[in-house]
Amino acid sequence: MDFIGGSRVLKTPLEKWIKAKIGTSATGAGLREEINRHQLLKLRETVDYARSRSPFYRKHLANFCGGDLHGLEDIGRLPFTTGEDILEDDLRFLCVSRNDIARVVTLNTSGTTSPAKRLHFTEHDLELTTDLFHHGMTTMVKPGQKVLILMPGDQHGSVGDLMVKALRRMDVEGIVHGIVRDEGRAIAEIIENNIDCVIGIPVQVLGLARHMAASVIGKGRIKSVLLSADYVPSTIVQEISSVWGCRVYNHYGMTEMGLGAAVDCRALSGYHIREADLYFEIIDPVTGCKLPDGEQGEVVFTTLTRKGMPLIRYRTGDLSGFIPEPCPCGTILKRLAWVKGRLCGQIKLGRHHWLNITELDEVLFTLPGIKNYRAVLLSDNGKDCLQITLHVGDKEGGIVSHVARKVLELVPAVRVALAERKLTIAPVCTSEDNWLTTGSIKRTIIDRRVEQICS
Ligand SMILES: [Zn+2]
């Protein structure tokens, strides 16, 4: 166990929880072996369960059975599952009758006109997530405290609903506010309810921290913030942490993972995964081969304990990698680096360079008063043209275009494309309009170049 800033870093509570779930008292390397053994056993069971009950996996895994897996590395022999497979027919994935499904989540993956992806969960599946939320949140809150949840919670099995139930188990009150549509109202709720912890989408929580009324919250009232449902730029973490004087944690999860998957410990340097329920791999997105720890690739996961709609080697499209060094908290659980982007979110600039929205985030959110922005790539006489519109807060309306341009030039792909005369930057505009970020679709650069050429 290490010390950070003079204080001891408590070990992630997920380790103790996972030990109890798999029924072991082993520690250190012995515990790692026990977790690996549990994962292999559950992988075999999941393969046989899915093959026997799901029409999709009966065909997809026709040439495999659980007994073919002699070690965890043998999972590499199984074919991947993709989002397109689910889009094609989600019902073929079901391993239980539709009467046993307690919650169906519909995801509009890339816009309201695209086909929707549906995920199905039984009560047992929802309970697994509630249990994760319960144990994960003990890192951030203590009994008697209050949490404001800036995420939907009206429906049974929604994130807010499961979180409220999880917090109740540790004598913490969870209050569902929902997606922030009026920042002033959310701030008033923090004050009126004497909130200790806020859970929300990064850009939305930044919007509160940079709101004109944010100073009434003051430093020290909010003890912790948990950011979820979108990429978390370091600049947003630093700003929230500095304005409110609190610890800012990251959570990684997607609906397909059962909403929750991995969360920071107090070292705030990478997520620990719910390894009793999910098996994670990092693969080369081109070859599909497993990558060594320390290398960045595509996150692929397999559910180990899900009943309604298990997923085997599901390709997430998210980019991350395992951190090979031990976590300062002293756990033997694996540590996943913060997810910083998606494969399909990378936009080609000029001939050789790739730009990701997370690179723009890291420079644009350093501008004072910026709460959100929109990035559009256009075609301009054979060159790419980057058009940025900044949503400025009520305090700072005077962002000068040339200052924004200067920070954009700090992004390597932008700088090189400008030098090679393959890119121009349109004058940076400001807007009082915000673009509602709901977390159901991750923020991205809008590429209008193809539309322009076709029209
Ligand atoms: Zn840790």
Side-chain angles (χ1 to χ4, degrees):
M1 204 179 289
D2 283 5
F3 289 78
I4 291 183
S7 58
R8 199 177 63 172
V9 180
L10 291 178
K11 190 182 276 189
T12 172
L14 296 195
E15 183 177 304
K16 192 175 165 195
W17 172 59
I18 288 169
K19 279 173 75 163
K21 274 174 81 92
I22 67 177
T24 178
S25 56
T27 55
L31 177 57
R32 185 68 255 168
E33 279 173 26
E34 285 296 308
I35 293 173
N36 293 350
R37 187 192 54 76
H38 165 87
Q39 290 184 322
L40 179 59
L41 183 75
K42 291 292 172 189
L43 269 176
R44 287 180 184 149
E45 283 177 13
T46 299
V47 167
D48 290 337
Y49 176 79
R51 281 181 80 228
S52 65
R53 290 173 177 248
S54 140
F56 172 81
Y57 281 116
R58 190 169 301 136
K59 194 168 164 196
H60 197 61
L61 299 178
N63 300 321
F64 301 92
C65 70
D68 293 335
L69 301 171
H70 302 292
L72 284 171
E73 62 287 355
D74 288 340
I75 195 173
R77 294 164 54 201
L78 303 180
F80 293 113
T81 304
T82 64
E84 287 72 38
D85 294 328
I86 300 178
L87 271 174
E88 214 169 274
D89 187 356
D90 49 287
L91 296 177
R92 288 185 306 151
F93 280 81
L94 289 193
C95 289
V96 297
S97 95
R98 290 177 77 175
N99 290 337
D100 291 326
I101 294 298
R103 165 96 170 137
V104 181
V105 181
T106 303
L107 297 175
N108 286 103
T109 46
S110 54
T112 48
T113 54
S114 317
K117 192 195 284 179
R118 281 192 297 272
L119 281 305
H120 304 251
F121 302 94
T122 63
E123 282 297 348
H124 161 90
D125 300 334
L126 297 177
E127 170 53 31
L128 292 172
T129 301
T130 308
D131 200 26
L132 164 75
F133 287 173
H134 169 199
H135 291 275
M137 287 303 291
T138 59
T139 310
M140 283 154 255
V141 280
K142 290 189 258 186
Q145 292 191 329
K146 290 184 178 178
V147 177
L148 190 66
I149 304 160
L150 307 176
M151 291 183 157
D154 296 340
Q155 294 187 38
H156 175 72
S158 57
V159 176
D161 176 53
L162 299 182
M163 184 56 79
V164 168
K165 286 175 184 154
L167 292 171
R168 204 174 288 143
R169 292 178 187 180
M170 50 186 293
D171 196 21
V172 170
E173 185 183 351
I175 300 169
V176 175
H177 175 93
I179 297 294
V180 178
R181 292 166 200 278
D182 177 342
E183 290 163 346
R185 209 169 68 75
I187 289 171
E189 199 161 2
I190 290 173
I191 303 290
E192 284 161 19
N193 290 297
N194 222 358
I195 293 296
D196 302 282
C197 168
V198 171
I199 301 177
I201 298 163
V203 168
Q204 291 224 317
V205 181
L206 177 74
L208 298 191
R210 284 185 164 172
H211 189 266
M212 62 191 298
S215 57
V216 298
I217 295 174
K219 278 196 183 187
R221 175 191 289 264
I222 294 173
K223 281 91 182 171
S224 59
V225 166
L226 176 64
L227 301 177
S228 187
D230 204 348
Y231 313 118
V232 186
S234 313
T235 47
I236 289 189
V237 171
Q238 282 155 18
E239 175 75 357
I240 295 169
S241 156
S242 133
V243 169
W244 286 336
C246 63
R247 295 178 84 85
V248 180
Y249 296 83
N250 283 326
H251 165 259
Y252 173 52
M254 56 198 301
T255 306
E256 291 90 326
M257 294 170 181
L259 303 168
V263 67
D264 280 342
C265 65
R266 292 206 184 175
L268 302 176
S269 56
Y271 331 95
H272 297 304
I273 304 161
R274 53 194 291 204
E275 293 192 54
D277 298 313
L278 296 172
Y279 180 72
F280 271 54
E281 301 169 76
I282 301 294
I283 62 150
D284 180 318
V286 177
T287 64
C289 295
K290 183 190 169 196
L291 288 174
D293 290 357
E295 286 193 26
Q296 179 174 271
E298 183 179 357
V299 177
V300 170
F301 74 90
T302 299
T303 63
L304 302 175
T305 46
R306 275 244 290 278
K307 296 289 180 212
M309 185 177 175
L311 294 172
I312 296 168
R313 302 202 83 205
Y314 184 81
R315 293 185 71 150
T316 65
D318 285 337
L319 295 168
S320 184
F322 286 116
I323 302 170
E325 294 78 24
C327 183
C329 82
T331 183
I332 52 83
L333 295 185
K334 289 185 181 175
R335 190 162 51 131
L336 190 72
W338 292 339
V339 171
K340 288 292 183 189
R342 281 180 70 72
L343 277 166
C344 62
Q346 292 179 308
I347 300 266
K348 198 167 188 183
L349 270 192
R351 254 179 296 171
H352 306 293
H353 306 289
W354 293 89
L355 180 64
N356 201 309
I357 193 154
T358 54
E359 295 174 285
L360 297 180
D361 284 350
E362 294 296 359
V363 296
L364 288 173
F365 284 122
T366 61
L367 297 169
I370 297 302
K371 291 181 170 184
N372 204 347
Y373 70 91
R374 182 146 62 179
V376 181
L377 210 53
L378 301 163
S379 188
D380 177 20
N381 289 323
K383 287 185 187 178
D384 295 329
C385 174
L386 182 60
Q387 189 183 63
I388 301 286
T389 310
L390 302 170
H391 168 58
V392 288
D394 18 41
K395 283 191 292 191
E396 313 262 356
I399 296 289
V400 186
S401 180
H402 77 264
V403 177
R405 189 192 159 94
K406 275 262 169 287
V407 299
L408 284 170
E409 288 174 10
L410 297 173
V411 176
V414 170
R415 193 171 57 240
V416 175
L418 283 170
E420 291 177 349
R421 299 182 186 280
K422 299 284 182 201
L423 175 73
T424 57
I425 298 178
V428 177
C429 306
T430 55
S431 164
E432 290 189 7
D433 296 335
N434 198 356
W435 302 280
L436 189 64
T437 304
T438 63
S440 60
I441 299 174
K442 290 190 166 107
R443 295 164 51 255
T444 187
I445 300 168
I446 301 162
D447 191 351
R448 294 231 168 97
R449 293 173 298 184
V450 178
E451 292 168 34
Q452 282 182 299
I453 291 163
C454 296
S455 58

